[in-house]
Amino acid sequence: MTNIKTNALRWGLKGAVLFTLILPLGAPGPAQAAEAGATTPPPGKEIAFDRKLGNCLACHAIEGGDSPGDLGPPLAAMQQRFPDRAKLRAQIADPRKFNADTRMPPFGAYKILSDQEIDLVVDFIHKL
Amino acid sequence: MKKAIFAVLLSALAAAPSVQAAAPVAKAVTPADDLKLYRSYFMKKFPGLPLDGYANGVYAIDRASRDGWEAIEEFPPYEPFVEEGKALWNKPFKNGKGYKDCFPGGPAQNKNFPYFNKVRKTVITQELAINECLQANGEEPLKYGKGKIASLLAYMAFESRGQKTNVEITPESLEAYNKGKQFYFARRGQLNFSCAQCHFQSVGQRIRSDILSPALGQTTHWPVYRATWGDMGTLHRRFEGCLEQVRAAPFKLQGEEYRNLEFFITHMSNGIPFNGPSFRK
């Protein structure tokens, strides 16, 4: 996965990349959770990777995700790029705020993800 | 640079006559201007790729996927459909007539479609003409998208290989063209995407493991046997699929919206030879 790091650096970044991902084994998948009408959403990583939820891999390379797209920059070294967590959240909730011509879907504004799901995705992404 | 060209595309759209009320001073953009602009965008993006090459979609711009595709084309999965289509073409209607009576030029018809019917003020596609032929002869129309109509189109496309795309836009058909153009550039669906954002702006990039094909050449090779479908499908079936991807409500196959869209994107490929049917991932 060094190429994620290199690519991230190519997008104009400096500094070390933190990888602290542990997939919680045995956690209910998003589909199961939805079926059971459960109120606890799946962990941020699952929301980010699930094609029916965040599907961030469609456009972003993320450590641990297979065959990512490249419409957007690799998501790595996020704390350096987004020291302000609120700004990262805003980027995911409504990227149009930062780029009117963006190709990233407005996950919050168009209710693709719930507020709580976005918070969980931010938790996950910010540690990358 | 890429951004700058796309901005030009967008402002060209903004200057389209149908939305000109907002900018009355803007010079009217003609379909010929569009053609020039779109082509220069892709020619800059893929220098060295000749116009004819765009008929091969994503395989024209990605060497790795092209190799696999060429191997598949040696034993093409669409062959049985061409055979079935040929049998359908030759089978007489109950009244003794047949498709040849509706299409006097024979099965090689791709170069004639789509066209704008001035009297009916609507775009006529090959599928629509096929079903109108059936109905005029007291036969049941075919279901759109796949099945028999796709087989019939596969045979007709096979016979049309080598003909060139040639859509004419006249003052009467300008409105239909502009509606198709607006459709192409408008964002829609929960994911808020336009056709152009994928097939112009992101061309050659990957959306997950799919490499995005250029808008230029997207109409030359239909119907397509798609591995994803495990079946043959029409251009409008693909429109439906792309809209689903962005979670937008699809429109009726062969409805006015898709026919206008087909009119607009086929014009973009004027001069590119037909090479359908084809195989796509």
Side-chain angles (χ1 to χ4, degrees):
Chain A
M1 274 296 139
T2 41
N3 69 329
I4 290 196
K5 184 174 168 183
T6 337
N7 287 343
L9 293 171
R10 216 182 292 141
W11 276 74
L13 304 170
K14 302 222 176 329
V17 182
L18 294 169
F19 294 122
T20 53
L21 307 177
I22 301 150
L23 183 66
L25 295 169
Q32 276 166 277
E35 259 161 35
T39 44
T40 6
K45 180 175 179 176
E46 280 183 43
I47 299 170
F49 282 18
D50 192 298
R51 283 173 191 269
K52 299 217 153 56
L53 296 169
N55 198 16
C56 313
L57 289 168
C59 302
H60 296 281
I62 301 174
E63 173 70 4
D66 290 335
S67 47
D70 61 7
L71 263 65
L75 299 182
M78 294 316 284
Q79 278 166 30
Q80 280 98 320
R81 281 151 98 179
F82 288 87
D84 179 5
R85 192 180 179 283
K87 195 172 171 227
L88 177 62
R89 194 187 192 287
Q91 165 71 33
I92 298 168
D94 197 350
R96 297 171 303 178
K97 288 204 175 108
F98 306 104
N99 173 10
D101 191 30
T102 186
R103 285 169 294 161
M104 175 158 156
F107 285 94
Y110 277 35
K111 306 217 179 325
I112 302 163
L113 296 176
S114 70
D115 284 350
Q116 196 188 3
E117 284 169 334
I118 291 174
D119 286 333
L120 290 163
V121 169
V122 174
D123 287 344
F124 164 64
I125 298 290
H126 207 215
K127 291 198 192 88
L128 293 173
Chain B
M1 187 59 197
K2 191 181 89 193
K3 259 205 166 112
I5 299 174
F6 198 70
V8 175
L9 287 173
L10 289 174
S11 59
L13 171 74
S18 39
V19 281
Q20 240 183 26
V25 283
K27 185 176 155 285
V29 173
T30 66
D33 295 335
D34 285 344
L35 209 64
K36 233 165 107 188
L37 181 64
Y38 302 156
R39 288 199 179 168
S40 70
Y41 176 77
F42 288 117
M43 301 291 158
K44 264 185 212 128
K45 195 112 204 166
F46 306 108
L49 177 61
L51 187 63
D52 287 7
Y54 284 87
N56 295 330
V58 68
Y59 309 116
I61 61 168
D62 184 60
R63 185 75 235 177
S65 22
R66 185 178 176 109
D67 291 342
W69 174 68
E70 279 175 347
I72 290 168
E73 284 277 346
E74 289 193 22
F75 301 97
Y78 50 76
E79 229 163 48
F81 298 88
V82 175
E83 287 307 312
E84 189 197 25
K86 185 176 180 182
L88 286 167
W89 174 274
N90 288 316
K91 191 171 164 234
F93 302 149
K94 288 192 285 288
N95 65 5
K97 292 193 175 176
Y99 289 110
K100 61 180 188 315
D101 297 294
C102 301
F103 300 101
Q109 288 291 335
N110 282 25
K111 69 175 187 329
N112 301 325
F113 293 94
Y115 73 92
F116 188 78
N117 183 312
K118 286 180 204 165
V119 181
R120 295 164 62 189
K121 295 192 173 39
T122 199
V123 172
I124 311 292
T125 61
Q126 209 166 326
E127 287 93 317
L128 197 65
I130 287 170
N131 268 349
E132 291 185 346
C133 170
L134 287 167
Q135 283 169 302
N137 286 286
E139 300 278 328
E140 280 293 307
L142 300 174
K143 208 177 144 280
Y144 290 125
K146 56 183 172 183
K148 282 187 183 159
I149 203 153
S151 299
L152 196 55
L153 289 170
Y155 171 60
M156 294 175 84
F158 190 76
E159 293 293 313
S160 307
R161 280 187 177 183
Q163 291 185 348
K164 286 186 176 176
T165 308
N166 181 30
V167 172
E168 198 195 352
I169 314 292
T170 58
E172 293 91 343
S173 61
L174 192 61
E175 193 187 336
Y177 172 88
N178 279 326
K179 280 184 179 160
K181 178 174 164 182
Q182 261 172 325
F183 194 112
Y184 202 84
F185 285 90
R187 287 172 179 262
R188 62 188 77 236
Q190 196 183 24
L191 302 190
N192 201 34
F193 258 91
S194 70
C195 312
Q197 282 181 302
C198 280
H199 296 295
F200 270 97
Q201 201 178 5
S202 315
V203 62
Q205 286 182 290
R206 275 172 200 275
I207 195 142
R208 201 71 198 250
S209 53
D210 281 324
I211 297 170
L212 289 160
S213 62
L216 195 56
Q218 277 191 328
T219 53
T220 52
H221 55 282
W222 294 90
V224 159
Y225 184 97
R226 250 191 107 192
T228 313
W229 293 332
D231 186 16
M232 213 70 198
T234 65
L235 178 63
H236 290 201
R237 184 176 179 190
R238 180 77 236 202
F239 290 169
E240 197 171 49
C242 280
L243 287 176
E244 247 163 47
Q245 285 187 77
V246 299
R247 301 186 194 164
F251 292 83
K252 233 179 89 192
L253 299 190
Q254 296 302 322
E256 201 181 353
E257 293 87 356
Y258 286 170
R259 281 183 287 116
N260 288 340
L261 180 60
E262 178 176 339
F263 196 50
F264 168 72
I265 60 167
T266 310
H267 174 261
M268 205 188 296
S269 292
N270 269 358
I272 306 182
F274 287 105
N275 64 347
S278 197
F279 171 85
R280 292 289 187 273
K281 194 176 106 182

